[in-house]
């Protein structure tokens, strides 16, 4: 039965992506099947073997320890502001991002991250058949996040074709940065967060292969990476602290606005139509949730969460999901959890477009033209990842 839902979920994604493809004749089906096979193998290994479970558990425990270390700084600065035994999202999930940003900054400074990203990207290019730059970027987005990941290819961006721009932007929207992973793990089971991070790398490239297929000559595949001017170590730490804090404030402000807006819309719908707005979008997304393998009795609730992520952001959706997940099956929780771990929403389209435009106005204008198709591609990538997760539950 799980295999049937794998087929229905993937077939749904393929049909939608095929309809919006830029060049259907150039779709490389063999390449797509290879990446799907790699995803199935990875998710099965991670969820059903002792080695995979140990690896996932270890990663989860590692981030729990990092969050505990981050708490020491939060306690020193804000100690006593939270009632004992109470949990506040800002303190528990957001403020640790400051420390995570510093840690990533240090690993980047001592050249560990660039080394890992570069060579993992090269290995990935052998599997996917994509350009080295696209593969490098797909791995980078799973570590660095936005908008800083675009700075790593700042010299290449002005020279990229619109097709290659679409691929890297789809990767940027389909992935999540390591700085955010710890925050997500406070709301979702860590094993699903880790699995989603891995699956999304391939899902984004699969979608790019359908919507945006192209071939590259060797001379086109530029892989020279931007060497940023090296700043003093403590300046880098200070910059990382401020970058992390900016993320915290930005996410907090977006949550304040989006959650209040959703509540206002719900109040209006309840007053006028006597049912909530989330119920409406839940019914719209329910068929997609069902095709992904979610049982029909739970499809409306799951669809509501999936749609909430699209129209607001993943944090709002995760918070809402936490409230209803106690009444859902393990399979539904796994599929929806993996689906939620990405930046595929309307707000991120603006971040991506703005990031590219700050580097090259011409390229930023190109991104703006295919913004909705970019959102479609990133959302379909999340559907692939969730569907793949469903086959092992």
């Amino acid at each position: 039965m799980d295999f049937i839902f794998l087929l229905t979920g993937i077939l749904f994604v393929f049909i939608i992506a095929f309809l919006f493809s830029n060049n259907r004749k150039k779709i490389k089906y063999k390449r797509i099947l290879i990446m799907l096979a790699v995803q199935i193998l990875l998710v099965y290994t991670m969820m059903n073997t002792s080695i995979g479970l140990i690896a996932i558990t270890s990663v989860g425990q590692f981030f729990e320890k990092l969050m505990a270390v981050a708490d020491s700084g939060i306690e020193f600065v804000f100690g006593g502001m939270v009632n004992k035994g109470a949990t506040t999202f800002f303190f528990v999930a957001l403020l640790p991002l400051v420390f995570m940003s510093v840690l990533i900054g240090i690993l980047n400074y001592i050249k560990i991250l660039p080394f890992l990203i570069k060579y993992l990207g090269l290995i990935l290019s052998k599997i996917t058949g994509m350009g080295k730059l696209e593969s490098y970027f797909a791995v980078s987005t799973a570590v660095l996040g936005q908008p800083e990941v675009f700075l790593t290819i700042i010299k290449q961006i002005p020279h990229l074709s619109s097709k290659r721009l679409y691929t890297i932007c789809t990767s940027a929207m389909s992935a999540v940065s390591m700085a955010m992973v710890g925050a997500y793990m406070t709301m979702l089971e860590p094993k699903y967060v880790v699995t989603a991070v891995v699956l999304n790398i391939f899902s984004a490239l699969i979608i790019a292969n359908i919507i945006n297929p192209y071939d590259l000559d060797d001379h086109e595949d530029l892989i020279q990476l931007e060497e940023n001017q090296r700043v003093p170590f403590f300046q880098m730490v200070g910059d990382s602290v401020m970058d992390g804090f900016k993320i915290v404030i930005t996410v907090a402000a977006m949550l304040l606005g989006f959650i209040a807006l959703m509540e206002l819309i719900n109040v209006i719908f309840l007053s006028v139509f006597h049912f909530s707005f989330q119920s409406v979008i839940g019914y719209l997304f329910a068929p997609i949730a069902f095709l992904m393998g979610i049982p029909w009795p739970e499809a409306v609730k799951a669809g509501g969460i999936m749609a909430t992520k699209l129209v607001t952001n993943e944090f709002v959706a995760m918070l809402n999901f936490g409230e209803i997940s106690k009444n859902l099956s393990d399979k539904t929780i796994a599929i929806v959890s993996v689906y939620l771990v990405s930046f595929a929403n309307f707000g991120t389209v603006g971040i991506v477009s703005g990031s590219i435009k700050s580097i090259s106005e011409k390229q930023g204008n190109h991104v703006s033209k295919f913004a909705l198709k970019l959102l479609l591609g990133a959302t379909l990538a999340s559907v692939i990842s969730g569907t793949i997760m469903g086959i092992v539950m």
Side-chain angles (χ1 to χ4, degrees):
M1 193 66 180
D2 290 332
F3 183 72
I4 293 175
F5 282 117
L6 171 64
L7 291 177
T8 58
I10 298 301
L11 185 61
F12 166 77
V13 169
F14 179 82
I15 290 172
I16 300 299
F18 186 82
L19 290 174
F20 288 90
S21 178
N22 297 330
N23 192 338
R24 295 166 188 164
K25 293 181 180 179
K26 282 196 173 183
I27 296 175
K28 294 179 173 58
Y29 299 96
K30 180 179 178 181
R31 182 186 296 176
I32 293 168
L33 290 174
I34 289 173
M35 285 190 280
L36 284 171
V38 170
Q39 283 185 303
I40 293 170
L41 180 62
L42 283 171
V43 78
Y44 183 84
T45 301
M46 294 172 76
M47 301 302 296
N48 285 327
T49 66
S50 57
I51 295 175
L53 291 172
I54 290 171
I56 288 180
T57 302
S58 299
V59 172
Q61 291 174 344
F62 173 71
F63 275 96
E64 286 177 2
K65 290 178 180 177
L66 286 181
M67 298 293 275
V69 172
D71 284 342
S72 61
I74 297 169
E75 178 64 27
F76 180 82
V77 176
F78 296 101
M81 290 184 66
V82 182
N83 294 329
K84 193 171 183 179
T87 57
T88 304
F89 183 76
F90 184 79
F91 292 102
V92 173
L94 294 186
L95 279 180
L97 295 179
V98 176
F99 172 69
M100 296 295 293
S101 178
V102 173
L103 184 61
I104 289 173
I106 293 172
L107 291 175
N108 207 30
Y109 190 85
I110 60 179
K111 303 297 184 181
I112 291 178
L113 278 187
F115 176 83
L116 292 175
I117 290 170
K118 179 178 179 180
Y119 289 100
L120 284 174
L122 290 174
I123 294 171
L124 185 63
S125 69
K126 303 296 183 183
I127 298 173
T128 65
M130 299 288 286
K132 295 183 181 68
L133 183 68
E134 286 86 340
S135 299
Y136 159 84
F137 193 84
V139 178
S140 300
T141 54
V143 179
L144 298 176
Q146 302 171 37
E148 57 270 26
V149 68
F150 292 106
L151 298 177
T152 68
I153 58 168
I154 192 170
K155 285 185 177 179
Q156 290 90 335
I157 284 177
H159 306 290
L160 295 178
S161 65
S162 59
K163 292 180 180 179
R164 299 188 80 187
L165 268 178
Y166 181 90
T167 299
I168 67 169
C169 290
T170 301
S171 289
M173 287 189 64
S174 302
V176 294
S177 65
M178 281 297 173
M180 308 296 279
V181 166
Y184 295 154
M185 286 182 179
T186 65
M187 296 175 282
L188 304 172
E189 285 194 50
K191 62 182 179 181
Y192 299 140
V193 177
V194 175
T195 304
V197 169
V198 176
L199 289 178
N200 286 343
I201 293 174
F202 291 95
S203 294
L205 295 178
I206 289 171
I207 289 299
N209 266 284
I210 303 173
I211 292 182
N212 185 48
Y214 55 85
D215 295 312
L216 287 176
D217 296 329
D218 290 338
H219 72 275
E220 289 182 288
D221 194 8
L222 305 173
I223 192 59
Q224 294 83 13
L225 303 178
E226 170 71 357
E227 283 290 336
N228 295 323
Q229 185 177 357
R230 199 168 179 83
V231 299
F233 178 81
F234 287 104
Q235 180 182 333
M236 175 276 299
V237 171
D239 291 342
S240 298
V241 168
M242 295 310 299
D243 289 342
F245 194 69
K246 287 175 185 176
I247 293 173
V248 170
I249 298 302
T250 301
V251 172
M254 290 180 69
L255 287 174
L256 285 170
F258 276 120
I259 291 175
L261 180 61
M262 286 292 292
E263 184 61 24
L264 174 62
I265 295 173
N266 276 328
V267 169
I268 294 172
F269 266 71
L270 286 169
S271 301
V272 178
F273 305 109
H274 303 295
F275 50 79
S276 69
F277 174 69
Q278 285 172 301
S279 297
V280 175
I281 58 178
Y283 280 106
L284 292 175
F285 270 70
I288 300 174
F290 179 70
L291 291 175
M292 292 170 66
I294 292 172
W296 182 251
E298 300 175 344
V300 174
K301 288 184 178 179
I305 298 298
M306 292 165 61
T308 297
K309 177 209 173 187
L310 177 64
V311 298
T312 57
N313 59 51
E314 73 280 5
F315 276 107
V316 177
M318 288 176 189
L319 289 170
N320 289 345
F321 186 52
E323 297 172 3
I324 69 169
S325 60
K326 294 178 183 177
N327 300 318
L328 299 176
S329 65
D330 290 342
K331 183 172 185 177
T332 298
I333 291 172
I335 293 173
V336 175
S337 295
V338 170
Y339 173 89
L340 293 178
V341 181
S342 84
F343 290 145
N345 58 67
F346 282 99
T348 305
V349 173
I351 294 173
V352 170
S353 178
S355 299
I356 297 292
K357 199 163 189 173
S358 67
I359 296 170
S360 168
E361 185 170 352
K362 177 183 175 183
Q363 298 293 56
N365 291 334
H366 282 311
V367 174
S368 298
K369 289 178 182 177
F370 57 64
L372 289 180
K373 187 177 282 190
L374 180 61
L375 180 61
L376 173 67
T379 302
L380 291 176
S382 294
V383 172
I384 291 177
S385 296
T387 301
I388 295 291
M389 186 68 212
I391 68 172
V392 298
M393 297 301 295

